[in-house]
Amino acid sequence: MSPEPDVLVEARSLALGYGGRVVLRDVDLAVRRGEFWFLVGRNGSGKSTFLHAVLGMLEPRAGTLSMTPALGGREHVGYVPQHGEMNPSLPTTVREFVSLGLVGLAVPRGERIARLRQALERVGLAELERAGFWSLSGGLRQRALVARALVREPLLLVLDEPMNHLDPDAEAALLADLVELNRRHGLTLLLVTHDVAMAERHATHVATFVDGTVRTQVRRAPAASASTPLEGRA
């Protein structure tokens, strides 16, 4: 069953696990357009397990996890891991790294160029597109990871502890970018973090993972501008 039109992801009585072990059970939540979800909890509580299911890497053990057709079979889902996965010995410019987000998408050359330009501008890396990716600071590399996800023109951006190992200034700059994407451009975000205070300041919704279950809390309504998706679709 497809979710309601404004619902991007919906879990109903969802159970997830690996091998013979159940990690999460009886998960019920709905992620709607324009919301900023923070997923909080201790290590091993199931936050990343839930993200893996959203990304299509893990099948439900029970219950359902429904995705809106607007996500195009996850074509319009962007993913930001904790770190760049490439070999540091491989010379790669920022532009080349970000363009990897287009792999597997049938996008004409002119549109590819426009998407790359827009993604780099949104995270403040337009002037560094010819710089070496590994020459960047940790904070700027994380911005490049966000840009790599944005070239997919996602309706949903999934981030797995993107602030880990960043210094306070880099963390604040990256968070400001994400808040801007959500509140000004209407991008829906799912962000895993250990920082409960950050969630309390910026989340529209918080999902707390504890003892194999998920408790959800509404913090505030999405910004009015969040009705307009990032890529301009109705």
Side-chain angles (χ1 to χ4, degrees), residues 16 44 109:
L16 299 169
R109 184 174 183 276

Side-chain angles (χ1 to χ4, degrees), residues 45-56:
S45 61
K47 304 184 302 297
S48 293
T49 296
F50 181 73
L51 288 196
H52 290 162
V54 171
L55 294 169

Side-chain angles (χ1 to χ4, degrees), residues 5 7 9 16 18 22 37 46 55 63 70 78 107 112 116 123 125 129 133 162 179 182 187 193 211 216 230 234:
V7 176
V9 179
L16 299 169
Y18 306 94
V22 175
W37 280 77
L55 294 169
V107 179
R112 292 172 66 93
L116 282 166
V123 299
L125 292 179
E129 64 175 311
F133 174 75
V179 170
N182 173 249
L187 183 59
T193 182
D211 295 331
T216 61
L230 179 70

Side-chain angles (χ1 to χ4, degrees), residues 100-132:
L100 293 174
L102 293 168
V103 171
L105 301 182
V107 179
R109 184 174 183 276
E111 185 179 342
R112 292 172 66 93
I113 293 171
R115 287 195 188 193
L116 282 166
R117 182 182 302 114
Q118 183 181 68
L120 289 166
E121 288 175 351
R122 289 203 189 280
V123 299
L125 292 179
E127 296 183 1
L128 294 173
E129 64 175 311
R130 299 188 183 281

Side-chain angles (χ1 to χ4, degrees), residues 3-227:
E4 299 171 16
D6 68 327
V7 176
L8 299 182
V9 179
E10 184 173 24
R12 293 186 179 182
S13 302
L14 178 67
L16 299 169
Y18 306 94
R21 182 170 66 97
V22 175
V23 177
L24 293 172
R25 60 186 181 279
D26 298 324
V27 178
D28 290 291
L29 62 82
V31 178
R32 291 175 168 80
R33 290 175 184 258
E35 294 177 343
F36 194 164
W37 280 77
F38 278 69
L39 281 52
V40 300
R42 296 180 179 178
N43 286 336
S45 61
K47 304 184 302 297
S48 293
T49 296
F50 181 73
L51 288 196
H52 290 162
V54 171
L55 294 169
M57 301 163 59
L58 189 63
E59 292 294 325
R61 291 291 188 86
T64 60
L65 182 66
S66 304
M67 314 286 286
T68 177
L71 292 175
R74 297 184 174 82
E75 179 176 319
H76 293 294
V77 176
Y79 173 53
V80 180
Q82 292 185 33
H83 309 289
E85 309 90 342
M86 295 182 60
N87 188 329
S89 66
L90 181 65
T92 307
T93 66
V94 171
R95 184 182 181 87
E96 290 168 340
F97 180 82
V98 172
S99 70
L100 293 174
L102 293 168
V103 171
L105 301 182
V107 179
R109 184 174 183 276
E111 185 179 342
R112 292 172 66 93
I113 293 171
R115 287 195 188 193
L116 282 166
R117 182 182 302 114
Q118 183 181 68
L120 289 166
E121 288 175 351
R122 289 203 189 280
V123 299
L125 292 179
E127 296 183 1
L128 294 173
E129 64 175 311
R130 299 188 183 281
F133 174 75
W134 294 107
S135 72
L136 301 180
S137 66
L140 292 179
R141 286 202 296 269
Q142 284 300 98
R143 290 191 186 195
L145 283 166
V146 173
R148 187 181 67 176
L150 292 180
V151 295
R152 302 185 69 84
E153 294 192 341
L155 290 173
L156 175 67
L157 185 63
V158 176
L159 307 102
D160 193 357
E161 301 194 65
M163 315 298 182
N164 267 13
H165 312 300
L166 297 185
D167 63 52
D169 288 342
E171 177 181 299
L174 179 58
L175 181 60
D177 287 341
L178 298 177
V179 170
E180 173 86 353
L181 288 168
N182 173 249
R183 298 188 183 179
R184 180 176 177 184
H185 301 291
L187 183 59
T188 308
L189 292 95
L190 282 178
L191 186 150
V192 169
T193 182
H194 291 95
D195 193 332
V196 175
M198 181 191 298
E200 290 176 346
R201 289 194 303 272
H202 300 290
T204 64
H205 297 70
V206 176
T208 303
F209 290 67
V210 59
D211 295 331
T213 63
V214 180
R215 298 196 300 264
T216 61
Q217 178 187 16
V218 179
R219 298 290 304 177
R220 61 172 176 81
S225 62
S227 60

